[in-house]
């Protein structure tokens, strides 16, 4: 498994680790590292945490692993299950839980966003009194595997002085930081013995993921970038002028929750503007907010004015697989761009079957190699399904050796990399894989001739195999197809909504927004033999896919918005990005999912990110502190717990007496989700918009896109703003016209003043 596989090879390892670590939290039976969460930081210190520990611990060396004192109060410590339970009963402690391990959610993409689907509103947007005069450099903090400072993408040339508000540090003294990388920290595993090469103690990237993510978000302009000649062009990040602070929280052993919380705490102190996390828990193991280090850290970051952007996960295309679903997080799904990597199959007689992959095959352009179907090489003790899927130990090696093998991929028991390994180990010289889900995603197989074809093209090869005594074929090396249509489409792997934790927040597939996450070219760590072709120098750039790649696209855009409007809150930035998203592809048709069905909010949230619209949203939804506190109430937390969690609880705040999850629909979010809508009943929802257009007087008229089975009534039907920063509210009444909606239905509420359009997606369900 090579190249692109790096992101995915980590998944099963980290998934197992996550389950092993977290299972103990539920059972309360294991000793180990526990996180003690004590809410917002209110002046507590490391000494205070040590005293609390000493009150329940017998003498134990190095019990304290991490201490959180900036924005977040708490610590991580080595505890027995009994000690953890004892600390959990201490006043002021919100939760105590086992230290979880998270997984990584693993160029032309920015040009596609700018020109492919975007509608340019104005080349020089009006700015209000809150906007930047051009002197605000956003700082993007990235929690990942580290960074390779030698990359051209991180050159500090032509950048001005480091912002004076920066309070961070660079822990590597060997010229690691410059004007571009202004902060670099590393967080060690509680078990230092795991670090057998000494490299896990630095912010240097030894995996490649963090370098790729950082350059996608904020890399400087690098001409003539490519991966061995593929995807040649100018590489640049979404916000090339932004500074980067890297917080290395992941190693080859995973991303520890205790390290993630420590990075959040440091980032709050350091003064970052945006935090980008391309990692999360498996969809099958969702944690409650008060036991999820990402949700906890993000809450306190947002509380301190930092926008937090996270990947949605790679567990699609099933519903309810989206992760990082807290409403204070901007969660990102993955889409394709208008570039495709073709690797075609040529049969005898010159017939060409289109395939998709990244490979540098060198077996010739003429079809001279024997071709065999995996099923035809079945071992006597294997099933037909196993053999046609080329599963391990299912095929006779004598019938595979020296041949190109046709394999199905409709058995989820094994990955396509397992099939590649099996064919290679039996002496096969190439592999043609039949798979529709992988359409639009070109995996990297380096020199091995492997390509993926669609099921509609497979009968042509099977017919040829069945009608020819000595079938032959070849697999051509990859070429680039530009301006491919349709694009974008939803990546098959991108996790879908709704949220399994909080259904009444429309955290669609990639909860809030979608961005390019397929076959993204960006900077890579040096001297990586896994992605280096034989006889070639190590590449400076690599092409990989995942919501890990879509997340930094949005982080970069958030940094651009922050630079333009430095006083905007995280919720205003989120709203600007969501309400101006596109739902149309480069064929002027609705964006589709991986198999051609029209995409919904469960697939892409508000839609594909717009690079111009987000700078001119006109109106924004500001989700207030009280909204988030009410959300916690509706989710089941009591007032006393919330008073510990938040530093900004208003005087006299109490949870509503009749709190329920249905009330979550009423927090002032840029999308609307209404569930339990049955029996021709109605539900009333209120939203408030803030005028940020900068032009004072402006009237917005209403358009409703309503699905069948649902009546939508909005009052008032126009919003008359007379000054900037003015807030106006409207009410939406959802009424079913049938006893029960047969499926979840989608629509939108659109406010427009003929120049600007503010779109609010909604979902309604009888579930």
């Amino acid at each position: 498994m090579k190249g692109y596989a790096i992101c995915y090879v980590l998944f099963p390892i980290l998934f197992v680790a996550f389950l092993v670590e977290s299972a103990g939290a539920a059972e309360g039976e294991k000793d180990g590292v526990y996180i003690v969460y004590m809410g917002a930081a209110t002046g507590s210190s490391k000494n205070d945490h040590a005293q609390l520990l000493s009150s329940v611990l017998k003498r134990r060396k190095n019990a304290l692993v991490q201490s959180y004192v900036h924005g977040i109060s708490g610590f991580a410590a080595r505890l027995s299950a009994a000690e953890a339970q004892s600390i959990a009963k201490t006043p002021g402690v919100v939760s105590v839980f086992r230290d979880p391990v998270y997984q990584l959610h693993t160029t032309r993409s920015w040009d596609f966003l700018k020109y492919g689907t975007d509608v340019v509103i104005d080349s020089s947007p009006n700015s209000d009194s809150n906007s930047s005069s051009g002197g605000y450099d956003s700082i993007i903090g990235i929690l990942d595997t580290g960074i390779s400072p030698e990359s051209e993408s991180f050159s500090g040339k032509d950048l001005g002085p480091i912002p004076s508000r920066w309070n961070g540090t660079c822990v590597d003294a060997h010229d690691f930081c410059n004007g571009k990388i202004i902060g670099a920290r590393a967080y060690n595993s509680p078990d230092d013995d795991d670090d057998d090469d000494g490299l896990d103690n630095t912010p240097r990237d030894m995996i490649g993921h963090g370098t790729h993510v950082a350059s996608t978000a904020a890399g400087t302009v690098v001409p003539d970038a490519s991966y061995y000649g593929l995807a040649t062009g100018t590489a640049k990040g979404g916000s090339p002028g932004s500074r980067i602070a890297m917080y290395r929280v992941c190693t080859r052993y995973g991303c520890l929750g205790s390290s993630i919380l420590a990075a959040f705490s440091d980032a709050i102190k350091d003064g970052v503007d945006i935090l980008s996390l391309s990692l999360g828990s498996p969809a099958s193991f969702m944690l409650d907010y008060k036991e999820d280090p990402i949700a906890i850290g993000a809450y306190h970051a947002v509380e301190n004015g930092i926008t937090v952007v996270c990947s949605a996960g790679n567990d699609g295309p099933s519903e309810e697989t989206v992760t990082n679903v807290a409403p204070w997080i901007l969660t990102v799904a993955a889409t394709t761009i208008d570039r495709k990597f073709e690797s075609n199959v040529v049969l005898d007689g010159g017939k060409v079957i289109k395939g998709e992959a990244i490979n540098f095959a060198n077996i010739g352009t003429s079809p001279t190699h024997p071709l065999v179907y995996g099923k035809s090489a079945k071992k006597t003790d294997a099933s037909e399904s196993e053999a046609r899927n080329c599963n391990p130990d299912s095929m006779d090696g004598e019938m595979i050796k020296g041949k190109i093998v046709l394999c199905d991929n409709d058995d989820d028991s094994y990955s396509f990399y397992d099939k590649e390994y099996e064919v290679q180990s039996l002496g096969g010289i190439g592999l043609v894989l039949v798979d529709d889900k992988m359409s639009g995603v070109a995996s990297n197989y380096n020199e091995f001739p492997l390509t993926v074809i669609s099921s509609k093209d497979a009968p042509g090869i099977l017919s040829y195999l069945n009608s020819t005594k000595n079938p032959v074929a070849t697999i051509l090396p990859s070429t680039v197809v530009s301006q491919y249509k349709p694009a974008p489409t939803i990546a098959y792997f991108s996790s879908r909504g709704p949220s399994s934790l909080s259904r009444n927040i429309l955290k669609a597939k990639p909860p809030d927004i979608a961005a390019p996450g397929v076959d993204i070219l960006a900077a890579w760590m040096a001297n990586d033999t896994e992605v280096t072709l034989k006889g070639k120098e190590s590449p400076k750039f690599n092409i990989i896919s995942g919501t890990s790649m879509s997340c930094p696209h949005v982080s970069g855009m958030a940094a651009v918005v922050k630079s333009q409007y430095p006083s905007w809150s995280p919720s205003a930035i989120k709203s600007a990005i969501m309400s101006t998203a596109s739902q149309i592809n480069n064929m002027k048709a609705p964006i589709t999912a991986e198999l051609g069905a029209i995409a919904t909010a469960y697939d892409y949230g508000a839609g594909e990110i717009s690079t111009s619209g987000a700078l001119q949203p006109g109106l924004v939804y500001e989700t207030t502190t009280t909204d988030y506190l009410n959300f916690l109430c509706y989710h089941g937390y009591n007032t006393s717990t919330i008073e510990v969690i938040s530093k900004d609880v208003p005087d006299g705040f109490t949870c509503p007496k009749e709190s329920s999850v249905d009330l979550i629909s009423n927090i002032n979010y840029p999308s609307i989700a209404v569930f339990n809508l049955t029996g021709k009943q109605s539900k009333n929802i209120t939203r408030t918009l803030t005028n940020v257009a900068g032009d004072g007087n402006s009237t917005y008229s209403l358009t409703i896109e309503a699905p069948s089975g649902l009546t939508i009534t909005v009052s008032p039907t126009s919003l008359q703003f007379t000054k900037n920063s003015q807030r106006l509210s409207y009410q939406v009444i959802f009424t079913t016209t049938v006893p029960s909606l047969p499926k979840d239905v989608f629509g939108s509420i659109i406010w427009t003043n003929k120049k600007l359009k503010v779109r609010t997606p909604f979902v309604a369900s009888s579930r």
Side-chain angles (χ1 to χ4, degrees):
M1 198 181 305
K2 302 182 179 79
Y4 165 91
I6 287 176
C7 289
Y8 287 94
V9 75
L10 287 171
F11 290 172
I13 298 170
L14 300 186
F15 177 75
V16 171
F18 187 95
L19 294 182
V20 169
E21 288 290 329
S22 299
E27 297 167 7
E29 295 175 350
K30 294 185 177 181
D31 297 349
V33 176
Y34 285 80
I35 294 174
V36 179
Y37 172 47
M38 303 171 69
T42 55
S44 59
S45 67
K46 187 174 181 178
N47 287 337
D48 296 327
H49 299 155
Q51 284 183 356
L52 176 56
L53 263 179
S54 65
S55 68
V56 297
L57 291 183
K58 298 176 181 177
R59 288 191 178 185
R60 186 182 304 161
K61 186 180 179 181
N62 299 326
L64 188 64
V65 172
Q66 298 280 3
S67 189
Y68 316 120
V69 297
H70 305 293
I72 308 162
S73 180
F75 57 91
R78 297 177 179 85
L79 301 170
S80 69
E83 289 163 345
Q85 291 172 2
S86 176
I87 290 178
K89 298 174 184 177
T90 305
V93 172
V94 176
S95 56
V96 179
F97 52 94
R98 290 273 294 183
D99 189 5
V101 181
Y102 291 89
Q103 64 187 22
L104 297 170
H105 286 154
T106 299
T107 198
R108 176 171 160 73
S109 54
W110 281 106
D111 287 336
F112 172 64
L113 279 176
K114 187 173 182 181
Y115 302 115
T117 60
D118 213 16
V119 178
V120 178
I121 299 172
D122 191 342
S123 60
S124 54
N126 292 331
S127 59
D128 60 20
S129 59
N130 294 325
S131 69
S132 170
S133 60
Y136 190 90
D137 291 343
S138 294
I139 302 169
I140 304 176
I142 297 171
L143 277 63
D144 215 287
T145 63
I147 194 167
S148 296
E150 300 84 4
S151 171
E152 294 176 76
S153 294
F154 308 126
S155 170
K157 184 180 178 182
D158 299 329
L159 290 175
I162 294 172
S164 59
R165 68 184 187 281
W166 177 244
N167 298 314
T169 187
C170 191
V171 298
D172 193 310
H174 303 291
D175 299 323
F176 197 93
C177 292
N178 53 26
K180 184 65 172 179
I181 304 171
I182 63 173
R185 296 177 183 266
Y187 303 86
N188 302 331
S189 165
D191 300 313
D192 291 332
D193 291 341
D194 286 345
D195 182 21
D196 52 21
D197 54 16
L199 293 174
D200 288 343
N201 296 326
T202 81
R204 180 168 295 279
D205 190 1
M206 300 304 298
I207 295 174
H209 190 273
T211 299
H212 196 282
V213 165
S215 63
T216 302
T220 55
V221 176
V222 181
D224 299 321
S226 74
Y227 177 65
Y228 293 116
L230 289 179
T232 301
T234 298
K236 59 183 176 181
S239 183
S242 290
R243 314 306 176 105
I244 295 170
M246 176 57 69
Y247 300 85
R248 199 231 67 210
V249 298
C250 302
T251 71
R252 59 188 178 277
Y253 304 111
C255 313
L256 287 172
S258 55
S259 296
I260 290 168
L261 265 186
F264 269 112
S265 180
D266 285 335
I268 291 169
K269 178 187 74 71
D270 291 347
V272 304
D273 298 296
I274 312 294
L275 278 171
S276 185
L277 289 82
S278 291
L279 51 94
S281 66
S284 59
F285 207 86
M286 297 287 285
L287 297 170
D288 187 72
Y289 300 118
K290 69 177 185 297
E291 296 182 351
D292 178 357
I294 293 178
I296 292 169
Y299 181 87
H300 293 290
V302 169
E303 195 174 39
N304 284 274
I306 301 168
T307 300
V308 180
V309 186
C310 293
S311 49
N314 294 356
D315 292 320
S318 299
E319 286 193 1
E320 297 191 16
T321 51
V322 63
T323 62
N324 296 322
V325 298
W328 43 87
I329 293 173
L330 180 51
T331 315
V332 190
T335 55
T336 64
I337 61 174
D338 64 341
R339 178 179 64 206
K340 192 172 185 177
F341 296 97
E342 277 192 357
S343 172
N344 296 333
V345 181
V346 182
L347 306 178
D348 193 21
K351 183 175 182 178
V352 176
I353 305 293
K354 287 192 174 183
E356 190 168 10
I358 295 173
N359 73 61
F360 298 86
N362 188 25
I363 58 173
T365 58
S366 299
T368 59
H369 306 286
L371 177 67
V372 66
Y373 188 23
K375 184 177 75 170
S376 302
K378 184 180 81 70
K379 279 186 173 181
T380 55
D381 59 348
S383 71
E384 184 176 290
S385 175
E386 290 172 332
R388 66 178 178 80
N389 275 278
C390 300
N391 290 348
D393 202 33
S394 66
M395 298 179 295
D396 185 341
E398 291 301 316
M399 301 180 70
I400 297 298
K401 188 176 182 179
K403 298 178 181 178
I404 294 172
V405 186
L406 175 68
C407 304
D408 292 322
N409 196 36
D410 55 21
D411 180 353
D412 293 333
S413 301
Y414 295 94
S415 73
F416 46 91
Y417 287 111
D418 293 324
K419 302 173 196 293
E420 175 196 7
Y421 179 80
E422 181 67 7
V423 169
Q424 285 198 74
S425 67
L426 295 176
I429 64 167
L431 194 161
V432 179
L433 197 65
V434 182
D435 193 299
D436 290 327
K437 292 185 300 183
M438 293 166 62
S439 174
V441 182
S443 300
N444 186 354
Y445 304 101
N446 286 11
E447 291 97 341
F448 187 69
L450 191 160
T451 191
V452 180
I453 67 170
S454 70
S455 60
K456 69 178 182 180
D457 290 327
I461 297 184
L462 289 171
S463 175
Y464 170 67
L465 279 166
N466 294 330
S467 62
T468 308
K469 184 176 181 180
N470 296 304
V472 290
T474 192
I475 297 173
L476 302 180
S478 299
T479 58
V480 176
V481 178
S482 298
Q483 298 181 339
Y484 181 80
K485 296 180 179 180
T489 61
I490 307 303
Y492 79 92
F493 57 75
S494 190
S495 293
R496 267 62 165 177
S499 162
S500 59
L501 278 181
S502 299
R503 216 180 265 279
N504 291 65
I505 288 289
L506 179 47
K507 285 281 189 179
K509 127 174 164 168
D512 297 307
I513 195 75
V518 174
D519 300 334
I520 303 302
L521 178 77
W524 199 249
M525 69 176 187
N527 303 316
D528 183 4
T529 58
E530 288 292 320
V531 298
T532 301
L533 299 183
K534 292 178 181 177
K536 302 284 188 179
E537 292 184 0
S538 296
K540 296 179 180 179
F541 294 84
N542 195 13
I543 301 169
I544 58 176
S545 301
T547 54
S548 276
M549 284 63 255
S550 57
C551 173
H553 277 85
V554 177
S555 302
M557 191 64 234
V560 172
V561 176
K562 182 69 174 179
S563 294
Q564 183 73 31
Y565 306 105
S567 66
W568 277 16
S569 67
S571 66
I573 293 172
K574 175 193 284 190
S575 177
I577 289 172
M578 290 178 63
S579 66
T580 58
S582 172
Q583 302 78 44
I584 303 300
N585 63 23
N586 58 2
M587 297 177 70
K588 307 302 180 185
I591 293 172
T592 58
E594 70 284 350
L595 296 181
I598 294 176
T600 72
Y602 286 166
D603 297 314
Y604 58 31
E608 179 88 341
I609 189 173
S610 162
T611 59
S612 63
L615 292 172
Q616 299 170 268
L619 308 173
V620 296
Y621 293 96
E622 293 193 275
T623 312
T624 65
T625 296
T626 300
D627 281 317
Y628 291 136
L629 299 182
N630 280 331
F631 170 82
L632 295 175
C633 292
Y634 304 150
H635 191 67
Y637 297 0
N638 58 42
T639 303
S640 59
T641 298
I642 291 171
E643 286 175 341
V644 176
I645 290 174
S646 177
K647 69 173 185 177
D648 295 325
V649 179
D651 291 340
F653 174 85
T654 58
C655 285
K657 291 182 179 179
E658 297 182 359
S659 292
S660 74
V661 292
D662 286 342
L663 294 175
I664 290 175
S665 300
N666 263 312
I667 77 166
N668 200 41
Y669 206 73
S671 62
I672 300 172
V674 179
F675 283 76
N676 301 318
L677 197 59
T678 58
K680 296 186 179 181
Q681 66 179 127
S682 296
K683 289 200 174 183
N684 295 359
I685 305 298
T686 300
R687 287 291 186 270
T688 300
L689 284 161
T690 302
N691 182 21
V692 294
D695 51 6
N697 269 319
S698 189
T699 300
Y700 287 79
S701 59
L702 174 69
T703 301
I704 301 173
E705 296 176 341
S708 60
L710 201 63
T711 297
I712 309 295
T713 305
V714 177
S715 178
T717 56
S718 68
L719 297 174
Q720 175 69 55
F721 291 92
T722 59
K723 58 184 178 180
N724 205 41
S725 301
Q726 182 181 2
R727 292 176 169 83
L728 293 177
S729 297
Y730 65 92
Q731 185 181 61
V732 188
I733 302 175
F734 292 84
T735 306
T736 56
T737 59
V738 293
S740 179
L741 294 169
K743 60 180 181 179
D744 295 2
V745 294
F746 305 89
S748 63
I749 296 164
I750 300 170
W751 296 99
T752 181
N753 67 353
K754 297 184 179 179
K755 178 183 177 183
L756 304 172
K757 184 173 76 170
V758 183
R759 179 179 179 272
T760 308
F762 66 76
V763 61
S765 175
S766 293
R767 287 195 279 169

